[in-house]
Amino acid sequence: MSGWSIPLLSLLVTLPGTTAVCPALPPLRSPRVLSEFNPARLEGLWYEWAFEDVAQVGATCQTLNATYHPATGVIDMAFAVHYKAIPFTIVEIYTPINETRPAATTTTTDNTTAVYIKRVNAPGSKLAELPSVFVDVTANSTSALTPYDTMSIFSCTTKLGISVHEVIFAGRSPTPPAGVLDQMEAVAKAQGVQWKTLTPVAPCTV
């Protein structure tokens, strides 16, 4: 999850709760992701529009800045937030679950397309890896090289019988255009993504 840390994971897995498991991630991908997902089109600045993520409680001004590394298929996302007006940034690393796939692939339909393992770029972070999937992406242009305008990400891990998940809806503008976030949520739900309560991200005033 954004802001994922080993101490937080240790706390979460000791909380009482019903036994649960994470859903399989590949079935959560939209037809658009399966047919045209290109991680290079994720590059650049993103504004988080809504989330469900215990690690973000109390955070404001959430942004992500993505860098794609074609040689490895890895995506780095600098996740920046403010906690009580104090800026804080971590780098989240998305590693393809099938690292043997051709690095130059830009459009694939295999069972690992858009499925990653996420971790924070910090010592010991491999102990808190988080399977993640890009559920959907959209672009206003029909060009295959145009950056995506929206992205929906679902992440989940199960530790000691307790599932901990994260949902992120993000776009290129500080606030979502009218109706766009509703459409993103509808697509995610149609793919089987579930959440309890989404928290909208207010425009940053810091």
Side-chain angles (χ1 to χ4, degrees):
M1 65 178 56
S2 301
W4 188 260
S5 67
I6 295 173
L8 176 60
L9 177 60
S10 300
L11 172 63
L12 289 173
V13 299
T14 58
L15 293 176
T18 57
T19 300
V21 295
C22 294
L25 298 187
L28 301 181
R29 298 168 297 176
S30 71
R32 185 162 35 232
V33 166
L34 286 173
S35 65
E36 63 180 58
F37 183 71
N38 179 352
R41 299 174 70 183
L42 295 169
E43 286 203 309
L45 180 64
W46 294 88
Y47 295 87
E48 198 170 81
W49 288 342
F51 66 90
E52 184 172 73
D53 178 4
V54 67
Q56 293 192 51
V57 174
T60 60
C61 303
Q62 295 96 315
T63 62
L64 303 104
N65 204 331
T67 301
Y68 174 61
H69 302 278
T72 60
V74 169
I75 303 167
D76 291 342
M77 282 202 188
F79 178 69
V81 302
H82 286 76
Y83 284 101
K84 295 183 178 180
I86 299 175
F88 176 77
T89 301
I90 59 172
V91 176
E92 298 176 328
I93 302 172
Y94 290 75
T95 302
I97 62 170
N98 181 6
E99 296 184 52
T100 62
R101 68 177 181 173
T105 296
T106 58
T107 302
T108 60
T109 56
D110 62 85
N111 199 43
T112 62
T113 298
V115 183
Y116 293 81
I117 295 295
K118 178 168 67 170
R119 64 179 178 86
V120 174
N121 186 18
S125 63
K126 287 191 175 182
L127 298 175
E129 294 181 333
L130 192 61
S132 304
V133 62
F134 287 84
V135 175
D136 194 37
V137 290
T138 66
N140 290 329
S141 171
T142 57
S143 171
L145 301 178
T146 302
Y148 291 126
D149 295 297
T150 71
M151 66 177 178
S152 307
I153 309 173
F154 177 80
S155 305
C156 190
T157 189
T158 302
K159 299 294 183 181
L160 302 181
I162 299 175
S163 66
V164 180
H165 72 268
E166 170 195 327
V167 181
I168 291 177
F169 294 106
R172 297 294 190 175
S173 58
T175 57
V180 171
L181 183 55
D182 290 339
Q183 294 173 6
M184 295 170 69
E185 293 176 22
V187 170
K189 287 182 177 179
Q191 291 305 125
V193 178
Q194 298 181 7
W195 58 84
K196 293 181 180 179
T197 303
L198 285 178
T199 301
V201 178
C204 188
T205 58
V206 177

